[in-house]
Amino acid sequence: MARRPTASTPPPPAPVRHEVRVASLAGHRFGVRIVIARPVATQRVSLPAWIPGSYLIREFARHLQPLHATQGAAELPCRQIDKATWDIDCDPRRALTLNYEVYAFDASVRTAWLGDARGFFNGTSLLLRVHGQEDEAHELTVRAPAGRRDWRLATSMTPVTVDARGFGRYRADGYDELVDHPVEMGAFWQGDFRVAGVPHRLVVSGAPASFDGARLLRDTQQVCEAAVRFWHGGGKPPFKRYVFLLNVIDDGYGGLEHRASTALICGRRDLPRHDSPASAARVGDGYITLLGLISHEYFHAWNVKRLRPAEFTRYDYQSENHTRLLWFFEGFTSYYDDLLLRRAGLLDDAGYLKLLTKTVNQVLQAPGRQVQSVAQASFDAWLRYYRPDENTPNSTISYYTKGALVALCFDLTLRQEGRTTLDEVMRALWQRCQGGPMTEDDFAHTLAEVAGRRFDREIADWVHGTGELPLKALLQAQGVQVLEEPSQLAQTLGLRVAEGDGLVTLKMVLDGSAAAQAGLAAGDEWLGVEVPATPRTKNADATEVSAWRLTKLDDLPLYAGMARQVTALVARDRRLLRLPLALPEKSTTWRLAAREHADASAWPAR
């Protein structure tokens, strides 16, 4: 969070000093300069291949433009070792200076962006790692762009000497911290509040004139207060400041957690407007989704940034860092993000159960839940989660959604047994691991200590197994009605489709479904349907059919009538096929609702 320089004497220059400037707004390029005060004779530097929190090798070095090294007036050769690593032979008695540019044209929360309206970067995309000096103090100086006097800078990094707009010199204790504070620049809206005495800032870029900033600020504060109460009761959070960096675009969604900040993206229609209803639950699903995203990423400041997998004790920035615990760090966070909205008073029970219904159905409608455990899905995140394809729902399960339901099952089981809750387990785990690295054994032992019994069977079945979770019984025991309602036609058939320009294109076909049994495949264009004609007289030809052009999937019942067997007419690689399709009986999805006279002060309100 930027602030004016204080009267205290600034610390001496750090051994590794980074400087970032705008090289070209039109060319979307940042300029970077690094001064290494005490290099070694062969100094190795590298740019990360991924960013913590987003488990995919992204090859950030592909955007780095020629690296130049100098000592005084002498230019030194940079010897490239691999796709993202360079060695520079130099005089260790003299400072080594590196200069390069980085192309920044990715509007996601993971990398870097530079354009006429704003600039944004994560350190993993811009700042080379100086091998052997990762634990030395680092500095980052960000220069104000010429001709942009309305631009300001926001970051959660510790300021040393910065101007009134936030540009200037910042300091980090090491490289891990340096790259864990994203930077936003532009003519953004901002607002401030405090939680347990700790300053928080909300920065919003790209909002329209109708944006109700006061509303979002107030609701965000309520979310943060609920999270801090959850972890610390009346204590303070484990950071000195926190910054939300929200980029608003026409349509989008996403977030990435950091130790004292988060980078977020939402659609403009998801923002609260000055004419919005007073109740958050009545504003609309988009705004509730945004508040859930804010809740999710803020909860991560504890659960994954501090309490984290033992495999993340020290990041390897050049290759995959596998863990089988994302079901806990992403799944449990996904459970609590919506639950904290309920506890903050931003949702009522009906609104919360609507969100939970969506999560339950996402899992129940994925055949992959019976193929892959959430522990294996966690390990495979680098291979599968960020590379979905037409077979994804058949072969894998989301550690976000099923992980959230695993958390729900633990919580409701503990509440039913009457000795404790998952809240108490999470707080005890924080104390056991001192807010640091943890293993699955830490979770199992803490669960046993707090609950008074071991949960080995539940962990084996729910985390490492592929059987169904005991959701219905646990929910009903908490006074929740589990209602079954007709599914949409695509789900009944076992399809995911895209519609447009009069075409129905199959995107996914679920294993075991009527569509799969008919031989339909992803990529097919479903052109029409043949339906046996209903005989008009006793002697009429029963083999007569009527053929219909299909432009919307939901028109299928209109044409099929009472027929239970039709023929799908599809185009596949320009071939026309006739595939017999047995129309199934209606399938059902879940809808969760609170029973009348249920205890409103119990779960999920507390």
Side-chain angles (χ1 to χ4, degrees):
M1 181 177 297
R3 63 188 182 198
R4 295 178 184 273
T6 64
S8 60
T9 302
V16 182
R17 303 190 295 277
H18 301 256
E19 180 181 305
V20 173
R21 60 181 175 81
V22 171
S24 172
L25 283 175
H28 314 290
R29 296 193 310 278
F30 284 108
V32 183
R33 182 185 186 192
I34 303 176
V35 177
I36 307 167
R38 299 187 296 272
V40 295
T42 300
Q43 182 62 65
R44 177 162 291 185
V45 296
S46 64
L47 195 67
W50 68 287
I51 182 170
S54 183
Y55 307 109
L56 181 69
I57 298 297
R58 298 187 182 276
E59 315 292 16
F60 297 136
R62 73 187 190 276
H63 296 308
L64 190 149
Q65 300 183 8
L67 175 63
H68 299 280
T70 57
Q71 284 188 308
E75 181 139 356
L76 307 177
C78 299
R79 189 168 62 256
Q80 189 162 4
I81 303 304
D82 59 29
K83 60 190 176 184
T85 307
W86 294 262
D87 279 350
I88 303 106
D89 294 327
C90 61
D91 182 349
R93 297 167 298 178
R94 304 174 64 193
L96 173 64
T97 300
L98 307 177
N99 283 282
Y100 56 94
E101 292 185 353
V102 175
Y103 179 68
F105 202 58
D106 183 342
S108 77
V109 296
R110 298 179 295 264
T111 53
W113 170 271
L114 185 60
D116 62 335
R118 65 183 285 264
F120 169 83
F121 66 85
N122 288 287
T124 45
S125 294
L126 257 67
L127 308 177
L128 288 168
R129 178 166 64 99
V130 180
H131 289 229
Q133 301 196 39
E134 292 91 343
D135 296 328
E136 298 283 353
H138 284 57
E139 285 183 5
L140 173 65
T141 298
V142 184
R143 301 295 181 191
R148 291 293 191 273
R149 298 193 61 82
D150 59 339
W151 278 32
R152 292 175 289 177
L153 182 145
T155 183
S156 55
M157 197 178 300
T158 301
V160 179
T161 53
V162 300
D163 63 21
R165 294 191 291 154
F167 292 98
R169 179 180 163 202
Y170 293 83
R171 192 175 181 92
D173 288 338
Y175 185 79
D176 281 353
E177 182 182 345
L178 176 76
V179 299
D180 208 9
H181 296 279
V183 173
E184 176 77 25
M185 298 182 291
F188 46 71
W189 178 96
Q190 67 179 19
D192 298 281
F193 59 89
R194 287 180 175 266
V195 175
V198 174
H200 289 57
R201 175 163 293 175
L202 175 62
V203 171
V204 182
S205 299
S210 61
F211 167 52
D212 187 349
R215 170 67 175 279
L216 182 59
L217 193 70
R218 182 175 67 250
D219 291 346
T220 299
Q221 181 174 3
Q222 290 179 241
V223 170
C224 295
E225 288 172 345
V228 173
R229 282 195 304 271
F230 172 89
W231 287 105
H232 306 293
K236 290 183 177 293
F239 38 78
K240 295 180 179 179
R241 63 187 68 80
Y242 194 92
V243 181
F244 295 92
L245 304 175
L246 175 59
N247 180 32
V248 183
I249 60 177
D250 180 60
D251 185 29
Y253 172 84
L256 188 63
E257 69 274 3
H258 298 275
R259 65 182 63 195
S261 63
T262 178
L264 309 164
I265 288 180
C266 78
R268 292 189 180 94
R269 295 166 188 82
D270 297 336
L271 291 175
R273 299 189 297 272
H274 290 294
D275 60 352
S276 298
S279 168
R282 294 174 56 201
V283 171
D285 292 344
Y287 184 49
I288 293 300
T289 300
L290 172 58
L291 292 178
L293 177 64
I294 288 170
S295 178
H296 184 98
E297 303 303 340
Y298 191 68
F299 198 85
H300 268 321
W302 289 266
N303 198 39
V304 87
K305 294 309 299 183
R306 289 171 174 83
L307 191 65
R308 61 191 185 277
E311 296 89 344
F312 292 177
T313 301
R314 191 66 183 256
Y315 294 121
D316 178 352
Y317 289 103
Q318 307 311 126
S319 61
E320 295 88 344
N321 292 213
H322 291 285
T323 177
R324 286 183 166 83
L325 286 174
L326 294 182
W327 60 268
F328 179 87
F329 291 101
E330 291 294 353
F332 279 41
T333 298
S334 296
Y335 173 60
Y336 277 108
D337 57 19
D338 291 337
L339 197 57
L340 290 181
L341 296 186
R342 174 66 189 93
R343 295 179 183 177
L346 297 170
L347 286 176
D348 57 15
D349 283 351
Y352 172 73
L353 291 177
K354 179 180 178 181
L355 295 177
L356 185 57
T357 296
K358 180 179 179 181
T359 302
V360 169
N361 285 324
Q362 284 175 334
V363 173
L364 294 182
Q365 293 169 5
R369 76 186 188 281
Q370 299 174 324
V371 175
Q372 185 185 54
S373 71
V374 283
Q376 189 61 40
S378 300
F379 192 86
D380 286 346
W382 298 87
L383 182 66
R384 296 173 182 264
Y385 184 78
Y386 292 93
R387 292 170 173 160
D389 59 29
E390 65 283 347
N391 195 48
T392 291
N394 296 321
S395 62
T396 188
I397 191 64
S398 167
Y399 48 78
Y400 283 88
T401 52
K402 188 175 179 183
L405 297 186
V406 169
L408 172 70
C409 288
F410 277 118
D411 197 10
L412 298 191
T413 299
L414 294 170
R415 289 172 185 270
Q416 186 173 331
E417 294 179 1
R419 293 193 57 171
T420 190
T421 67
L422 187 60
D423 299 10
E424 296 296 334
V425 173
M426 295 295 287
R427 287 189 284 266
L429 188 59
W430 176 267
Q431 294 297 324
R432 174 189 176 94
C433 300
Q434 299 181 323
M438 63 162 276
T439 65
E440 186 179 302
D441 283 344
D442 288 317
F443 173 69
H445 284 119
T446 303
L447 193 58
E449 289 171 3
V450 177
R453 73 169 179 91
R454 294 196 62 83
F455 282 76
D456 296 349
R457 180 181 60 79
E458 288 86 350
I459 293 173
D461 291 347
W462 302 348
V463 174
H464 296 280
T466 58
E468 300 293 1
L469 298 173
L471 294 168
K472 183 175 289 188
L474 290 171
L475 287 165
Q476 289 174 337
Q478 290 293 325
V480 177
Q481 298 182 77
V482 180
L483 307 174
E484 294 191 359
E485 298 183 337
S487 301
Q488 294 182 345
L489 179 58
Q491 184 60 36
T492 299
L493 293 172
L495 291 172
R496 305 286 187 269
V497 303
E499 297 178 342
D501 298 327
L503 289 176
V504 178
T505 304
L506 308 193
K507 306 301 290 184
M508 298 176 180
V509 177
L510 303 184
D511 282 351
S513 66
Q517 292 171 9
L520 290 164
D524 286 353
E525 293 179 2
W526 194 343
L527 304 177
V529 60
E530 291 180 347
V531 181
T534 302
R536 297 181 181 274
T537 66
K538 184 176 180 179
N539 297 322
D541 185 358
T543 63
E544 194 175 320
V545 299
S546 57
W548 301 92
R549 178 78 170 92
L550 195 66
T551 59
K552 293 189 301 183
L553 183 62
D554 286 343
D555 284 344
L556 179 60
L558 171 69
Y559 303 135
M562 299 300 293
R564 308 315 306 159
Q565 184 82 31
V566 299
T567 300
L569 307 176
V570 304
R572 180 182 301 167
D573 191 27
R574 303 295 182 182
R575 293 183 299 134
L576 298 179
L577 305 177
R578 300 175 71 253
L579 302 176
L581 172 64
L583 298 179
E585 297 296 327
K586 292 285 187 181
S587 63
T588 59
T589 59
W590 284 21
R591 181 171 68 84
L592 307 180
R595 286 202 187 111
E596 289 187 25
H597 312 301
D599 183 1
S601 66
W603 180 88
R606 62 175 178 86

